[in-house]
Amino acid sequence: MDIVLATRNKKKVEEMSRILGGMDINILTLDDFPSCPEVEEDANTFEGNAVKKALAITKCTNKIAVADDSGLEVYALNGAPGVMSARYAGEGADDVANIGKLLSEMKDIPDEQRGARFVCCIALAYPNGKTETFFGFAEGRIGREPRGRMGFGYDPVFYPAGYEVTFAEMSPEEKDALSHRGNALEGFKKYMKAHYSEYKEI
Ligand code: ITT
């Protein structure tokens, strides 16, 4: 079975391909479909944006599409950056700029109030318009300076609950075992097992 990953974020493609690696599916990416349109992420929920991306890509490719919409919610900032995570420091902002803005917004927040979570919504869309969604969460806290070089996005400032190292200091496999994306994709895998007799985990 072919599945297209409906994301333009290369780091997400790496993580999703790795986590789904044991499944008997053929993973395609948007590089295989260069004419697919950019999808404007104008919904105000992770689910709304994930479903929108997956539907746009299944329509354009006529194949099952899997999209990820994700972000960081900081409790002391009332859930910001949330759905704005990718462009927190402005349209086209890079990870360094987004982390810089986050640390500056949080400079007066004491250690015991720096709780946050990553959220991931995975949306599966079929060419007939049917959709399914799967959520995953990772609880943790925000540090005071970036640490580590692995991962992407806010990983260098995110300490998962119970750990003294950031996601960016963990191996890919350690992050996958704890992450919001790993968690949401476990739900997706269970769905595939339940719905496809031809699906096998290798
Ligand atoms: P696509 O929409 O093409 O999938 P994107 O990067 O624009 O790519 P989102 O709109 O879902 O994706 O934004 C997600 C942002 O949230 C991402 O750019 C990071 O800043 C942050 N984020 C999500 N998952 C993360 C993770 O595992 N580690 C660190 N930061 C993450």
Side-chain angles (χ1 to χ4, degrees):
M1 181 195 306
D2 286 347
I3 285 189
V4 191
L5 300 184
T7 173
R8 296 196 184 275
N9 180 324
K10 301 270 181 223
K11 291 290 182 177
K12 282 190 190 173
V13 169
E14 262 177 41
E15 289 195 2
M16 293 167 80
S17 307
R18 191 169 63 230
I19 297 166
L20 299 177
M23 293 174 69
D24 195 14
I25 54 177
N26 182 32
I27 297 177
L28 303 170
T29 70
L30 291 179
D31 290 341
D32 298 307
F33 301 94
S35 61
C36 282
E38 282 290 336
V39 183
E40 200 193 339
E41 295 182 41
D42 51 6
N44 56 9
T45 60
F46 294 112
E47 186 166 23
N49 283 323
V51 166
K52 188 174 179 190
K53 287 188 266 192
L55 281 173
I57 300 309
T58 193
K59 191 169 169 204
C60 148
T61 60
N62 209 31
K63 292 189 180 293
I64 294 176
V66 174
D68 164 306
D69 201 66
S70 47
L72 179 70
E73 293 182 338
V74 177
Y75 300 120
L77 300 178
N78 296 318
V83 292
M84 298 297 292
S85 292
R87 47 208 150 113
Y88 190 42
E91 213 54 58
D94 63 9
D95 292 344
V96 172
N98 286 331
I99 287 178
K101 174 162 181 191
L102 181 70
L103 291 179
S104 121
E105 296 284 328
M106 294 184 69
K107 68 180 184 320
D108 297 327
I109 299 179
D111 289 352
E112 64 281 7
Q113 287 169 32
R114 296 177 75 88
R117 68 174 185 176
F118 274 121
V119 181
C120 173
C121 178
I122 295 289
L124 168 66
Y126 293 89
N128 68 4
K130 183 177 173 241
T131 61
E132 301 282 345
T133 53
F134 310 90
F135 276 87
F137 302 90
E139 295 287 340
R141 65 194 157 83
I142 304 300
R144 294 204 174 263
E145 59 186 14
R147 285 186 189 271
R149 305 175 73 89
M150 307 290 284
F152 70 102
Y154 299 90
D155 282 346
V157 292
F158 184 82
Y159 290 81
Y163 290 80
E164 295 304 319
V165 288
T166 67
F167 266 172
E169 294 177 292
M170 293 184 164
S171 70
E173 294 72 21
E174 281 173 311
K175 178 183 170 186
D176 294 345
L178 300 172
S179 83
H180 49 309
R181 187 163 297 105
N183 223 239
L185 287 170
E186 285 309 316
F188 169 77
K189 287 186 187 181
K190 279 200 186 117
Y191 170 91
M192 295 297 286
K193 267 189 189 163
H195 287 80
Y196 293 94
S197 52
E198 74 271 27
Y199 161 73
K200 292 191 284 289
E201 201 157 8
I202 296 165

